[in-house]
Amino acid sequence: MSGGSTVPGPDKADLSGLEGILGEAESIRVLRYPHETEADEEGETTEWHCDIVVVDNVPAPGFTTYATIGARELPTNVTTPEGRQIRSEFVTVGRTGHRAMADVLDACALAVATGSIHVAPGAVIPNAVGLVDSGRRCEHLVLTPPFLWPELQVVDETGGVDGSGPLLTRLQAVPITTAELSAVGRDGPESLFERLDTADADVTNPDRPSVV
């Protein structure tokens, strides 16, 4: 993964819905990750990008929050029982200085763009950390409703400016080990999060011990 380049200031990016994590942030940066789709039958490709907003000292000093901007434009093939489309943005947290977590969130957007995951709580993204930050004990991701930002907007049912757009959800990407990945497939995500909670596991540390 090539990494992101800074776009011209957060005032140029749509930060709506992120007010709950921006708060009194002293600085907000936005990284842009350019991508290109695979060639279609006619050999044509389409350029697209994923933007990641980076907010230091949130949710606490020494930690950094990363959140996608615009992943909602990627179809998820997930709908409500009534048939309304559901789109998702992603958020995660890391120790300040562990900037690879921005690349990790871009990997989430790539997984959606390629249709390789079912975007819902409990979904796993194998090797999303390992591909961009090799050598970490937690190589994979599991998606869950956000739990570190009490004021973060998790669901937006407004449907955009004209009210006709998809329902928007935000999902937190939590790094997990290979043993924990297997446990999700065997016992389900809720069982894993119970184990993480019981062990008081530090989910911001990609080198933490496995709870399985």
Side-chain angles (χ1 to χ4, degrees):
M1 194 168 295
S2 60
S5 59
T6 302
V7 299
D11 57 318
K12 304 295 185 180
D14 180 7
L15 302 178
S16 59
L18 295 176
E19 293 84 357
I21 64 174
L22 300 181
E24 301 298 324
E26 296 179 0
S27 66
I28 302 168
R29 289 172 296 127
V30 180
L31 305 178
R32 174 157 293 176
Y33 290 75
H35 298 291
E36 189 173 37
T37 62
E38 294 184 3
D40 58 22
E41 295 179 355
E42 299 179 352
E44 298 294 328
T45 61
T46 301
E47 294 183 355
W48 64 281
H49 64 265
C50 175
D51 288 347
I52 308 292
V53 61
V54 181
V55 188
D56 288 335
N57 295 318
V58 173
F63 298 89
T64 295
T65 290
Y66 302 86
T68 59
I69 305 172
R72 71 191 71 180
E73 302 301 324
L74 302 170
T76 62
N77 299 316
V78 179
T79 62
T80 67
E82 298 74 30
R84 185 179 180 185
Q85 290 188 56
I86 300 176
R87 302 287 179 85
S88 294
E89 298 279 12
F90 303 98
V91 62
T92 195
V93 65
R95 302 293 180 89
T96 298
H98 185 209
R99 297 308 190 190
M101 293 308 292
D103 293 355
V104 168
L105 271 203
D106 181 58
C108 291
L110 277 172
V112 177
T114 59
S116 61
I117 64 168
H118 180 76
V119 187
V124 295
I125 309 179
N127 212 30
V129 179
L131 285 174
V132 302
D133 193 18
S134 61
R136 297 293 183 177
R137 185 174 291 162
C138 297
E139 299 178 286
H140 320 285
L141 295 174
V142 62
L143 301 179
T144 184
F147 56 83
L148 291 175
W149 307 268
E151 303 302 320
L152 177 64
Q153 182 187 54
V154 176
V155 178
D156 181 358
E157 300 181 356
T158 61
V161 177
D162 62 4
S164 64
L167 180 150
L168 173 66
T169 66
R170 284 190 170 82
L171 294 171
Q172 181 176 345
V174 177
I176 58 175
T177 67
T178 296
E180 291 166 350
L181 178 72
S182 298
V184 170
R186 182 180 63 250
D187 305 320
E190 291 185 3
S191 176
L192 173 63
F193 279 103
E194 288 177 1
R195 293 188 184 193
L196 289 168
D197 185 57
T198 299
D200 195 23
D202 181 2
V203 297
T204 70
N205 178 10
D207 291 318
R208 65 171 175 79
S210 181
V211 299
V212 176

Coordinates of all heavy atoms in Angstrom, one line a residue, residues 72-131:
R72 N -18.7 5.9 2.5 CA -20.2 5.7 2.3 C -20.5 5.7 0.8 O -21.7 5.3 0.5 CB -20.9 6.8 3.0 CG -20.8 8.2 2.4 CD -21.3 9.3 3.2 NE -20.5 9.5 4.4 CZ -20.7 10.4 5.3 NH1 -21.8 11.2 5.2 NH2 -19.9 10.6 6.3
E73 N -19.6 6.1 0.0 CA -19.9 6.1 -1.5 C -19.8 4.7 -2.1 O -20.2 4.5 -3.2 CB -19.0 7.1 -2.2 CG -19.0 8.5 -1.7 CD -20.4 9.1 -1.9 OE1 -21.1 8.8 -2.9 OE2 -20.8 9.9 -1.0
L74 N -19.2 3.8 -1.3 CA -18.9 2.4 -1.8 C -20.1 1.5 -1.5 O -20.5 1.4 -0.4 CB -17.7 1.9 -1.2 CG -16.4 2.7 -1.4 CD1 -15.3 2.1 -0.6 CD2 -16.0 2.7 -2.9
P75 N -20.7 0.9 -2.5 CA -21.9 0.0 -2.3 C -21.4 -1.2 -1.4 O -20.3 -1.7 -1.5 CB -22.3 -0.5 -3.7 CG -21.7 0.6 -4.6 CD -20.5 1.1 -4.0
T76 N -22.3 -1.5 -0.4 CA -22.0 -2.6 0.5 C -22.8 -3.9 0.2 O -22.6 -4.9 0.7 CB -22.2 -2.2 1.9 OG1 -23.6 -1.9 2.1 CG2 -21.4 -1.0 2.3
N77 N -23.9 -3.7 -0.6 CA -24.8 -4.8 -0.9 C -25.5 -5.3 0.3 O -25.9 -6.5 0.5 CB -24.1 -6.0 -1.6 CG -23.5 -5.6 -3.0 OD1 -24.2 -4.9 -3.7 ND2 -22.3 -6.0 -3.2
V78 N -25.6 -4.4 1.3 CA -26.4 -4.7 2.6 C -27.6 -3.7 2.6 O -27.4 -2.5 2.3 CB -25.5 -4.5 3.8 CG1 -26.2 -4.7 5.1 CG2 -24.2 -5.4 3.7
T79 N -28.7 -4.2 3.0 CA -29.9 -3.4 3.1 C -30.6 -3.6 4.4 O -30.4 -4.6 5.1 CB -30.9 -3.7 2.0 OG1 -31.3 -5.1 2.1 CG2 -30.3 -3.5 0.6
T80 N -31.5 -2.7 4.8 CA -32.4 -2.9 5.9 C -33.5 -3.9 5.6 O -33.7 -4.2 4.4 CB -33.1 -1.6 6.3 OG1 -33.9 -1.2 5.3 CG2 -32.0 -0.5 6.5
P81 N -34.2 -4.4 6.5 CA -35.3 -5.3 6.2 C -36.4 -4.7 5.3 O -37.0 -5.4 4.5 CB -36.0 -5.6 7.6 CG -34.8 -5.4 8.6 CD -34.0 -4.3 8.0
E82 N -36.4 -3.4 5.2 CA -37.3 -2.7 4.3 C -36.8 -2.5 2.9 O -37.4 -2.0 2.1 CB -37.7 -1.3 4.9 CG -38.5 -1.4 6.3 CD -37.6 -1.8 7.4 OE1 -36.4 -1.4 7.4 OE2 -38.1 -2.4 8.4
G83 N -35.5 -2.9 2.8 CA -34.9 -2.8 1.5 C -34.0 -1.5 1.2 O -33.5 -1.3 0.1
R84 N -33.9 -0.7 2.3 CA -33.1 0.5 2.1 C -31.6 0.2 2.2 O -31.1 -0.6 3.0 CB -33.4 1.5 3.3 CG -32.7 2.9 3.1 CD -33.1 3.8 4.3 NE -32.4 5.0 4.2 CZ -32.6 6.0 5.1 NH1 -33.3 5.8 6.2 NH2 -31.9 7.2 5.0
Q85 N -30.8 0.8 1.3 CA -29.4 0.5 1.3 C -28.7 1.0 2.6 O -29.1 2.0 3.2 CB -28.7 1.2 0.1 CG -29.0 0.7 -1.2 CD -28.1 1.3 -2.3 OE1 -26.9 1.3 -2.2 NE2 -28.8 1.9 -3.3
I86 N -27.7 0.2 3.0 CA -26.9 0.6 4.2 C -25.5 0.8 3.7 O -24.9 0.0 3.1 CB -26.9 -0.4 5.3 CG1 -28.3 -0.7 5.8 CG2 -26.0 0.0 6.5 CD1 -28.4 -1.8 6.8
R87 N -24.9 2.0 4.0 CA -23.5 2.2 3.7 C -22.7 2.4 5.0 O -23.4 2.7 6.1 CB -23.4 3.5 2.8 CG -24.1 3.4 1.5 CD -23.4 2.5 0.5 NE -24.2 2.4 -0.7 CZ -24.0 3.2 -1.8 NH1 -23.2 4.3 -1.7 NH2 -24.7 3.1 -2.9
S88 N -21.4 2.3 5.0 CA -20.6 2.4 6.2 C -19.4 3.3 6.1 O -18.8 3.3 5.0 CB -20.2 1.0 6.7 OG -21.3 0.2 7.0
E89 N -19.1 3.9 7.2 CA -17.8 4.6 7.4 C -17.1 3.8 8.5 O -17.7 3.1 9.3 CB -17.9 6.1 7.8 CG -18.6 6.9 6.7 CD -17.7 7.4 5.6 OE1 -16.6 6.8 5.5 OE2 -18.1 8.3 4.8
F90 N -15.7 4.0 8.6 CA -15.0 3.2 9.6 C -14.2 4.1 10.5 O -13.7 5.2 10.0 CB -14.1 2.2 8.8 CG -14.8 1.3 7.9 CD1 -14.8 1.6 6.5 CD2 -15.4 0.2 8.4 CE1 -15.5 0.7 5.7 CE2 -16.1 -0.7 7.5 CZ -16.2 -0.4 6.2
V91 N -14.0 3.7 11.7 CA -13.2 4.4 12.7 C -12.3 3.5 13.5 O -12.7 2.3 13.7 CB -14.1 5.3 13.6 CG1 -15.0 4.3 14.4 CG2 -13.4 6.2 14.5
T92 N -11.2 3.9 13.9 CA -10.3 3.1 14.7 C -9.4 4.0 15.6 O -9.4 5.2 15.4 CB -9.5 2.1 13.9 OG1 -8.9 1.1 14.8 CG2 -8.3 2.8 13.2
V93 N -8.7 3.4 16.5 CA -7.8 4.2 17.4 C -6.5 3.5 17.5 O -6.4 2.3 17.3 CB -8.5 4.3 18.8 CG1 -8.6 3.0 19.5 CG2 -7.7 5.3 19.6
G94 N -5.4 4.3 17.7 CA -4.1 3.7 17.9 C -3.3 4.6 18.8 O -3.7 5.7 19.1
R95 N -2.2 4.1 19.2 CA -1.3 5.0 20.0 C -0.7 6.1 19.1 O -0.4 5.8 17.9 CB -0.1 4.2 20.5 CG -0.5 3.0 21.4 CD -1.1 3.5 22.7 NE -1.5 2.3 23.5 CZ -0.7 1.7 24.4 NH1 0.5 2.1 24.6 NH2 -1.2 0.7 25.1
T96 N -0.7 7.3 19.5 CA -0.1 8.4 18.7 C 1.3 8.0 18.3 O 2.1 7.7 19.1 CB -0.2 9.7 19.5 OG1 -1.5 10.0 19.8 CG2 0.5 10.8 18.7
G97 N 1.6 8.1 17.1 CA 2.9 7.7 16.5 C 2.8 6.4 15.7 O 3.6 6.2 14.9
H98 N 1.7 5.6 16.0 CA 1.5 4.4 15.2 C 0.7 4.7 14.0 O -0.5 4.4 13.9 CB 0.9 3.3 16.0 CG 0.7 2.0 15.3 ND1 -0.3 1.1 15.6 CD2 1.5 1.4 14.3 CE1 -0.1 0.0 14.8 NE2 0.9 0.2 14.0
R99 N 1.3 5.4 13.0 CA 0.5 6.0 11.9 C 0.0 5.0 10.9 O -0.8 5.3 10.0 CB 1.4 7.0 11.2 CG 1.8 8.3 12.0 CD 0.5 8.9 12.7 NE 0.8 10.2 13.3 CZ 0.0 10.8 14.1 NH1 -1.2 10.3 14.3 NH2 0.3 12.0 14.6
A100 N 0.5 3.7 11.0 CA 0.0 2.7 10.1 C -1.5 2.4 10.3 O -2.1 1.9 9.4 CB 0.8 1.4 10.4
M101 N -2.1 2.9 11.3 CA -3.5 2.7 11.5 C -4.3 3.4 10.5 O -5.4 3.0 10.1 CB -4.0 3.1 12.9 CG -3.4 2.2 14.0 SD -3.7 0.4 13.7 CE -5.4 0.3 13.9
A102 N -3.7 4.5 9.9 CA -4.4 5.2 8.8 C -4.5 4.2 7.6 O -5.5 4.1 6.9 CB -3.7 6.5 8.4
D103 N -3.4 3.5 7.3 CA -3.3 2.6 6.2 C -4.3 1.4 6.5 O -4.9 0.9 5.5 CB -1.9 2.0 6.0 CG -0.9 3.0 5.6 OD1 -1.3 4.1 5.2 OD2 0.3 2.7 5.5
V104 N -4.4 1.0 7.7 CA -5.4 0.0 8.1 C -6.8 0.3 7.7 O -7.5 -0.5 7.2 CB -5.2 -0.4 9.6 CG1 -6.3 -1.3 10.0 CG2 -3.9 -1.0 9.9
L105 N -7.2 1.6 8.0 CA -8.5 2.0 7.7 C -8.7 2.0 6.2 O -9.8 1.7 5.7 CB -8.9 3.3 8.3 CG -9.5 3.3 9.7 CD1 -10.2 4.6 9.9 CD2 -10.4 2.2 10.0
D106 N -7.7 2.4 5.5 CA -7.8 2.4 4.0 C -8.0 1.0 3.5 O -8.8 0.8 2.5 CB -6.5 3.0 3.4 CG -6.6 3.0 1.9 OD1 -7.5 3.7 1.3 OD2 -5.7 2.4 1.2
A107 N -7.4 0.0 4.2 CA -7.6 -1.4 3.8 C -9.1 -1.8 4.0 O -9.6 -2.6 3.3 CB -6.7 -2.3 4.7
C108 N -9.8 -1.2 5.0 CA -11.2 -1.5 5.2 C -12.0 -1.0 4.0 O -12.9 -1.7 3.5 CB -11.7 -0.7 6.4 SG -11.1 -1.4 8.0
A109 N -11.7 0.2 3.5 CA -12.4 0.8 2.3 C -12.1 -0.1 1.1 O -13.0 -0.4 0.3 CB -11.9 2.2 2.1
L110 N -10.9 -0.6 1.0 CA -10.5 -1.4 -0.2 C -11.3 -2.7 -0.1 O -11.8 -3.3 -1.1 CB -9.0 -1.7 -0.2 CG -8.1 -0.7 -0.8 CD1 -6.6 -1.1 -0.5 CD2 -8.3 -0.6 -2.3
A111 N -11.5 -3.3 1.1 CA -12.2 -4.5 1.2 C -13.7 -4.3 0.8 O -14.3 -5.2 0.2 CB -12.2 -5.0 2.7
V112 N -14.2 -3.2 1.1 CA -15.6 -2.9 0.6 C -15.6 -2.7 -0.9 O -16.5 -3.2 -1.6 CB -16.1 -1.6 1.3 CG1 -17.5 -1.2 0.8 CG2 -16.2 -1.7 2.8
A113 N -14.7 -2.0 -1.4 CA -14.6 -1.7 -2.8 C -14.5 -3.0 -3.7 O -15.0 -3.1 -4.8 CB -13.5 -0.7 -3.2
T114 N -13.8 -4.0 -3.1 CA -13.6 -5.2 -3.9 C -14.7 -6.2 -3.6 O -14.7 -7.3 -4.2 CB -12.2 -5.8 -3.5 OG1 -12.2 -6.1 -2.1 CG2 -11.1 -4.9 -3.9
G115 N -15.6 -5.9 -2.7 CA -16.7 -6.8 -2.3 C -16.2 -8.0 -1.6 O -16.9 -9.0 -1.6
S116 N -15.1 -7.9 -0.9 CA -14.6 -9.1 -0.2 C -15.1 -9.3 1.2 O -14.8 -10.3 1.8 CB -13.0 -9.0 -0.1 OG -12.6 -7.9 0.6
I117 N -15.9 -8.4 1.7 CA -16.5 -8.6 3.1 C -18.0 -8.2 3.1 O -18.4 -7.5 2.2 CB -15.8 -7.7 4.1 CG1 -16.0 -6.2 3.8 CG2 -14.3 -8.0 4.3 CD1 -15.6 -5.3 5.0
H118 N -18.7 -8.8 4.0 CA -20.1 -8.4 4.3 C -20.0 -7.4 5.4 O -19.6 -7.7 6.5 CB -20.9 -9.7 4.7 CG -22.3 -9.4 5.0 ND1 -23.2 -9.2 4.1 CD2 -22.9 -9.2 6.2 CE1 -24.4 -8.9 4.6 NE2 -24.3 -9.0 5.9
V119 N -20.3 -6.1 5.0 CA -20.1 -5.0 5.9 C -21.2 -5.0 7.0 O -22.3 -4.4 6.8 CB -20.0 -3.7 5.1 CG1 -19.6 -2.6 6.1 CG2 -19.0 -3.8 4.0
A120 N -20.9 -5.5 8.2 CA -21.8 -5.6 9.3 C -21.0 -5.8 10.5 O -19.9 -6.3 10.5 CB -22.8 -6.7 9.1
P121 N -21.6 -5.5 11.7 CA -20.9 -5.8 13.0 C -20.6 -7.3 13.0 O -21.4 -8.1 12.7 CB -22.0 -5.4 14.0 CG -22.8 -4.3 13.4 CD -22.8 -4.7 11.9
G122 N -19.4 -7.6 13.5 CA -19.0 -9.0 13.6 C -18.2 -9.5 12.3 O -17.6 -10.5 12.4
A123 N -18.2 -8.7 11.2 CA -17.5 -9.1 10.1 C -16.0 -9.0 10.3 O -15.5 -8.1 11.1 CB -17.9 -8.2 8.9
V124 N -15.2 -9.9 9.7 CA -13.8 -9.8 9.9 C -13.1 -9.5 8.5 O -13.7 -9.8 7.5 CB -13.2 -11.2 10.4 CG1 -13.7 -11.5 11.8 CG2 -13.6 -12.3 9.4
I125 N -12.0 -8.8 8.6 CA -11.2 -8.5 7.4 C -9.8 -9.1 7.7 O -8.9 -8.5 8.3 CB -11.1 -7.0 7.2 CG1 -12.4 -6.3 7.3 CG2 -10.4 -6.7 5.9 CD1 -12.4 -4.8 7.1
P126 N -9.6 -10.3 7.1 CA -8.3 -11.0 7.4 C -7.1 -10.3 6.8 O -7.2 -9.7 5.7 CB -8.5 -12.3 6.6 CG -10.0 -12.5 6.5 CD -10.6 -11.1 6.4
N127 N -6.1 -10.2 7.6 CA -4.8 -9.7 7.2 C -4.8 -8.2 6.9 O -3.8 -7.7 6.3 CB -4.2 -10.5 6.0 CG -2.7 -10.6 6.1 OD1 -2.1 -10.6 7.2 ND2 -2.0 -10.6 5.0
A128 N -5.8 -7.5 7.3 CA -5.9 -6.0 7.0 C -4.7 -5.3 7.7 O -4.2 -4.3 7.1 CB -7.2 -5.5 7.4
V129 N -4.3 -5.7 8.9 CA -3.2 -5.1 9.5 C -1.9 -5.7 9.0 O -0.9 -5.0 8.7 CB -3.3 -5.3 11.1 CG1 -2.0 -4.7 11.8 CG2 -4.6 -4.7 11.6
G130 N -1.8 -7.0 8.8 CA -0.6 -7.7 8.4 C -0.1 -7.2 7.1 O 1.1 -7.1 6.9
L131 N -1.0 -6.8 6.2 CA -0.6 -6.4 4.8 C 0.1 -5.0 4.8 O 1.0 -4.8 4.0 CB -1.8 -6.4 3.9 CG -2.3 -7.7 3.4 CD1 -3.6 -7.5 2.6 CD2 -1.2 -8.4 2.5

